[in-house]
């Protein structure tokens, strides 16, 4: 089922508040109205588990390096949930070693955004993935 940008719910997860807010504001400028932000993977799980807190979500943009639950742990958790395993997941990271890329792919990541982020990168990755998955 294809949705409009107004109907798509996005969860932005990053432990750096300025980055969370910047990505949220960019997504809103692109026309996405339902954007929720979480400070780490643990907080993200709470939003994901309670659909009335902004979900159900169609896309997660998640930083890799966070505590207490990092991006790869959140990704594995999401992929392990029957009701969430189809959520589009973009890992946002400065990590680009071959081992880390392989680990993320094996864990079910859909795509990557490399830091430092640009507006064009974010827009391209988000739209491409949502179209590919038939959401947009």
């Amino acid at each position: 089922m294809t949705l409009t940008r107004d109907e798509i719910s996005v969860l932005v997860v990053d432990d750096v508040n300025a980055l969370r807010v910047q990505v949220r504001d960019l997504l809103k400028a692109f026309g996405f109205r339902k954007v929720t932000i979480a400070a780490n993977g643990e907080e993200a799980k709470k939003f994901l588990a309670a659909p009335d807190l902004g979900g159900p979500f169609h896309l997660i943009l998640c930083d890799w390096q966070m505590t207490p639950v990092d991006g790869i742990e959140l990704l594995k958790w999401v992929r392990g949930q029957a009701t969430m395993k189809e959520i589009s997941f973009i890992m946002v990271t400065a990590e680009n070693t071959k081992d880390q890329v392989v680990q993320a792919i094996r864990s079910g990541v859909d795509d990557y955004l490399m830091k430092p982020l640009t507006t064009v990168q974010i827009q391209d990755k988000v739209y491409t993935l949502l179209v590919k998955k038939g959401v947009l």
Side-chain angles (χ1 to χ4, degrees), residues 60-72:
I60 300 169
L61 284 103
C62 182
D63 184 34
W64 187 312
Q65 299 295 330
M66 302 176 293
T67 59
V69 176
D70 68 18
I72 204 78

Side-chain angles (χ1 to χ4, degrees), residues 60 62-65 70-80 85 87-114 129 133:
I60 300 169
C62 182
D63 184 34
W64 187 312
Q65 299 295 330
D70 68 18
I72 204 78
E73 291 174 87
L74 179 63
L75 172 60
K76 289 176 181 178
W77 182 81
V78 167
R79 292 297 182 243
K85 62 183 176 185
I87 297 173
S88 299
F89 200 111
I90 298 175
M91 190 70 72
V92 181
T93 184
E95 310 298 329
N96 65 353
T97 67
K98 183 179 177 184
D99 290 344
Q100 289 162 321
V101 171
V102 169
Q103 180 185 9
I105 290 169
R106 285 186 178 151
S107 298
V109 78
D110 290 300
D111 212 336
Y112 266 96
L113 269 169
M114 297 302 297
L129 180 58
K133 290 265 207 135

Side-chain angles (χ1 to χ4, degrees), residues 37-63:
I37 56 176
N40 57 56
E42 188 173 293
E43 187 176 315
K45 284 181 180 183
K46 291 176 186 170
F47 285 114
L48 288 159
D52 57 319
L53 295 178
F57 293 96
H58 304 96
L59 172 65
I60 300 169
L61 284 103
C62 182
D63 184 34

Side-chain angles (χ1 to χ4, degrees), residues 10-13 17 20-21 23-24 35-39 43 47:
V10 182
L11 179 60
V12 177
V13 188
N17 185 54
R20 283 194 302 272
V21 171
V23 172
R24 181 199 61 203
V35 183
T36 303
I37 56 176
E43 187 176 315
F47 285 114

Side-chain angles (χ1 to χ4, degrees), residues 2-3 19 25 30 38 47 49 82 91 100 103 111 127 132 134:
T2 304
L3 303 172
L19 200 61
D25 291 350
F30 301 155
F47 285 114
M91 190 70 72
Q100 289 162 321
Q103 180 185 9
D111 212 336
Y127 282 110
K132 178 182 168 184

